[in-house]
Amino acid sequence: MSSTTEITQPRAAASDSFDIPRHVAIIMDGNGRWAAARGLPRVEGHRRGVEALRKTVRAARELGIAILTIFSFSSENWSRPQSEIRDLLGLLRRFIRNDLADLHNSNVRVRIIGERDDLARDIQLLLQEAEDLTRNNNGLTLIVAFNYGARQEIARAARRLALDVAGGRLAPKDITPELLAQQLDLPELPDPDVIIRTSGEQRLSNFLLWQAAYSELVFVPINWPDFDRAALEGAIAEYRRRERRFGGLIAQTGS
Ligand code: FPP
């Protein structure tokens, strides 16, 4: 019989801290609506979105969050008009060129998830440079989801297992959730404790579908360019009001 203090935790999902979530993931939504509400071009919303990102990274460091994952370009964003794709890729280039040194000096470790092979060569190199330069930092880990889709990530993982099966190194009966999780883009990372989405939309949009199994979802009714430290603290306060049970009986988080 299971005791009430036993909690089954898949993939180290829970934060050790009762106050600050260890891993926060954010769907930065609403840049276009922020711009439209002001009669500005969409690119201006994205530019202001980068400023909100800077503020959020600083706030995450100050609050002691260990891992911040941001959804900055989805596998599905390629269906946007060419001009907007150009703008978003340009902002990524500029973000890495302008902010990488500051991130490094702030002891931030940058990591990337998503499909890199079909990105422009210069972007692949910038992403690699960001990871290489910050590899030994041990402050905030900033995970940039770029050209990322969760279904694609899970399919990549399944493909790797299929290769092992085809090569005779793995029996199908030995495939477990844990084994598949080991083939995800960053297998060693704990799952997000909380996923925040701005703009009032309430869905995951192909973001971290595997890792979100036990994440708390917090939907914030402001557009991403208006997000700041106070908004992050508000979302964390909402997270702390949740009772996390991981399929068990006892809450892990809550104040
Ligand atoms: C959603 O707003 C946001 C994006 C598609 C991209 C997020 C990008 C940034 C915050 C800036 C770029 C950051 C980096 C690191 C390059 P939306 O355009 O879907 O807004 P809408 O739903 O109101 O139209």
Side-chain angles (χ1 to χ4, degrees):
M1 204 162 77
S2 71
S3 117
T4 50
T5 52
E6 257 174 35
I7 296 164
T8 306
Q9 291 179 17
R11 274 188 90 222
S15 167
D16 292 335
S17 165
F18 279 68
D19 296 312
I20 294 293
R22 179 159 55 147
H23 183 175
V24 174
I26 307 186
I27 303 175
M28 309 180 290
D29 194 15
N31 294 348
R33 274 162 284 172
W34 182 93
R38 289 159 182 79
L40 297 169
R42 291 179 60 82
V43 65
E44 198 48 39
H46 295 315
R47 278 197 203 110
R48 293 293 292 260
V50 175
E51 285 175 31
L53 173 59
R54 288 192 185 104
K55 283 188 212 162
T56 303
V57 169
R58 192 177 325 122
R61 287 177 34 235
E62 289 167 0
L63 291 170
I65 290 166
I67 305 163
L68 176 68
T69 300
I70 51 158
F71 203 5
S72 62
F73 192 90
S74 79
S75 307
E76 290 73 29
N77 284 155
W78 296 108
S79 64
R80 294 192 176 201
Q82 280 303 312
S83 57
E84 183 164 348
I85 292 173
R86 244 193 335 270
D87 289 338
L88 284 167
L89 296 180
L91 282 171
L92 176 77
R93 287 185 178 95
R94 243 167 290 151
F95 178 69
I96 295 181
R97 287 190 190 123
N98 295 341
D99 291 56
L100 183 58
D102 279 351
L103 291 169
H104 182 45
N105 290 334
S106 307
N107 197 22
V108 173
R109 180 171 186 194
V110 179
R111 307 198 67 185
I112 314 293
I113 55 174
E115 182 55 69
R116 293 194 218 187
D117 289 352
D118 40 351
L119 293 173
R121 186 79 188 127
D122 74 303
I123 292 192
Q124 289 187 29
L125 291 173
L126 281 171
L127 297 177
Q128 193 60 51
E129 182 190 341
E131 286 190 319
D132 289 346
L133 179 70
T134 62
R135 185 170 303 280
N136 296 319
N137 292 345
N138 59 8
L140 173 74
T141 296
L142 175 65
I143 301 174
V144 180
F146 198 83
N147 195 22
Y148 174 84
R151 287 179 171 178
Q152 290 83 342
E153 180 189 29
I154 295 167
R156 276 195 297 281
R159 210 175 297 133
R160 288 181 195 125
L161 293 181
L163 283 171
D164 282 347
V165 170
R169 295 179 295 279
L170 178 65
K173 69 173 175 43
D174 292 332
I175 296 178
T176 58
E178 291 74 22
L179 202 70
L180 192 141
Q182 283 167 21
Q183 302 300 328
L184 295 173
D185 287 358
L186 295 176
E188 68 282 15
L189 284 171
D191 293 337
D193 298 294
V194 55
I195 299 179
I196 300 167
R197 181 172 188 147
T198 58
S199 90
E201 306 286 351
Q202 303 195 356
R203 56 180 170 269
L204 285 176
S205 299
N206 205 15
F207 185 49
L208 302 179
L209 297 182
W210 180 281
Q211 299 86 338
Y214 288 93
S215 304
E216 294 298 326
L217 308 181
V218 174
F219 300 107
V220 180
I222 60 172
N223 290 321
W224 175 249
D226 290 326
F227 199 83
D228 57 10
R229 180 179 170 136
L232 180 61
E233 286 178 340
I236 291 172
E238 168 63 27
Y239 159 82
R240 290 178 63 197
R241 284 191 285 274
R242 305 282 176 84
E243 193 180 77
R244 304 188 76 196
R245 291 198 292 267
F246 301 99
L249 295 179
I250 294 288
Q252 271 291 292
T253 299
S255 50

